[in-house]
């Protein structure tokens, strides 16, 4: 247990923490807002959200609480096999993304005009929303303060089984998408866009963003 605690504390000792921490919390807040907007637009969401939305509706548990419960289960696996992947960013993602999304969805539901958006209006809103989510998710990863349990699981599987990470991640996302779809969630443009573009965007942004934290 001491070794696991030391690994977590070591992850907090990084350069430019005065920049990393604010960027982390802004990023996860914007990710939560993006999830709420995806729910409004009806074009799907990222694979993790697709699954959790389906579970939330099926079990009757508020989305934020359901996402936190799922993350608590997944983090037990991460702690067991590779606690070094856990940091402040892990905890921030576990708690904030779901509850920020839940809060924003509640606010959106109180604006009747948003329930009557035309397809053209939704498509116009969709583009900047997707870009905002991708940039926020990329910044969250580039801050390098731990990853979400959902993201850590395929990394651990790939490392322990010596399987190509890209294939493991695609299979992991596909299982989550399929599960969410069977539970009634929408799999659409957002799901495809995030699956295709998040990885390349993170790689492109890393060269710029990480210099800000060195």
């Amino acid at each position: 247990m001491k070794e696991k605690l030391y690994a977590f504390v070591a992850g907090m000792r990084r350069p430019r923490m005065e920049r990393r921490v604010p960027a982390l919390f802004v990023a996860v807040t914007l990710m939560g807002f993006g999830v709420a907007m995806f729910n409004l637009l009806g074009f799907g969401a990222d694979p993790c959200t697709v699954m959790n939305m389906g579970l939330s509706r099926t079990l009757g548990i508020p989305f934020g609480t359901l996402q936190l419960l799922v993350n608590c289960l997944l983090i037990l696996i991460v702690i067991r096999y590779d606690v070094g992947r856990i940091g402040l960013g892990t905890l921030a993602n576990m708690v904030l993304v779901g509850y920020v999304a839940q809060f924003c969805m509640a606010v959106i539901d109180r604006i009747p005009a948003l329930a009557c958006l035309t397809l053209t209006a939704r498509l116009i809103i969709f583009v900047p929303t997707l870009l905002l989510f991708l940039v926020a998710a990329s910044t969250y990863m580039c801050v390098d303060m731990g990853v979400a349990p959902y993201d850590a699981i395929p990394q651990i599987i790939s490392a322990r089984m010596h399987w190509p990470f890209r294939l493991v991640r695609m299979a992991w996302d596909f299982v989550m998408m399929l599960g969410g779809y069977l539970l009634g969630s929408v799999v659409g443009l957002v799901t495809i866009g995030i699956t295709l573009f998040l990885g390349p965007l993170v790689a492109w942004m890393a060269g710029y963003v990480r210099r800000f934290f060195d």
Side-chain angles (χ1 to χ4, degrees):
M1 181 60 71
K2 286 185 177 181
E3 292 179 357
K4 294 178 179 181
L5 180 60
Y6 290 153
F8 177 81
V9 173
M12 295 293 294
R13 297 174 179 172
R14 310 186 72 83
R16 300 290 188 180
M17 288 296 289
E18 74 282 359
R19 296 182 180 181
R20 290 177 188 270
V21 174
L24 166 66
F25 283 98
V26 170
V28 295
T29 299
L30 290 177
M31 287 165 63
F33 172 75
V35 168
M37 291 301 295
F38 293 151
N39 182 67
L40 166 69
L41 298 174
F43 295 138
D46 63 279
C48 179
T49 299
V50 167
M51 182 64 177
N52 288 339
M53 284 284 191
L55 286 172
S56 175
R57 284 191 294 267
T58 301
L59 300 176
I61 300 175
F63 177 73
T65 301
L66 185 283
Q67 182 137 315
L68 178 59
L69 291 174
V70 170
N71 276 318
C72 286
L73 292 175
L74 293 178
I75 201 172
L76 294 177
I77 300 173
V78 181
I79 291 172
R80 170 65 178 82
Y81 291 104
D82 193 350
V83 73
R85 299 183 188 275
I86 297 175
L88 180 62
T90 308
L91 304 180
N93 184 291
M94 287 175 60
V95 177
L96 288 180
V97 174
Y99 282 114
V100 168
Q102 181 178 309
F103 172 77
C104 292
M105 286 188 282
V107 172
I108 288 171
D109 287 342
R110 293 176 177 271
I111 305 175
L114 294 179
C116 305
L117 293 175
T118 64
L119 176 60
T120 301
R122 288 189 291 138
L123 286 171
I124 292 173
I125 297 173
F126 163 72
V127 175
T129 300
L130 179 59
L131 290 175
L132 176 67
F133 183 88
L134 290 172
V135 170
S138 299
T139 301
Y140 166 76
M141 294 179 185
C142 290
V143 165
D144 195 22
M145 295 185 66
V147 298
Y150 177 89
D151 298 314
I153 298 296
Q155 293 176 358
I156 292 172
I157 294 173
S158 174
R160 293 181 69 86
M161 301 302 294
H162 305 290
W163 292 341
F165 173 72
R166 181 173 297 183
L167 295 179
V168 174
R169 181 58 193 247
M170 288 177 63
W172 177 246
D173 284 342
F174 176 78
V175 170
M176 295 301 110
M177 284 190 292
L178 179 60
Y181 176 77
L182 294 175
L183 290 171
S185 293
V186 177
V187 174
L189 290 174
V190 173
T191 316
I192 296 170
I194 290 175
T195 301
L196 292 177
F197 299 121
L198 181 57
L201 182 60
V202 170
W204 178 77
M205 285 191 64
Y208 298 94
V209 176
R210 283 178 180 156
R211 284 182 292 182
F212 183 72
F213 301 122
D214 290 336

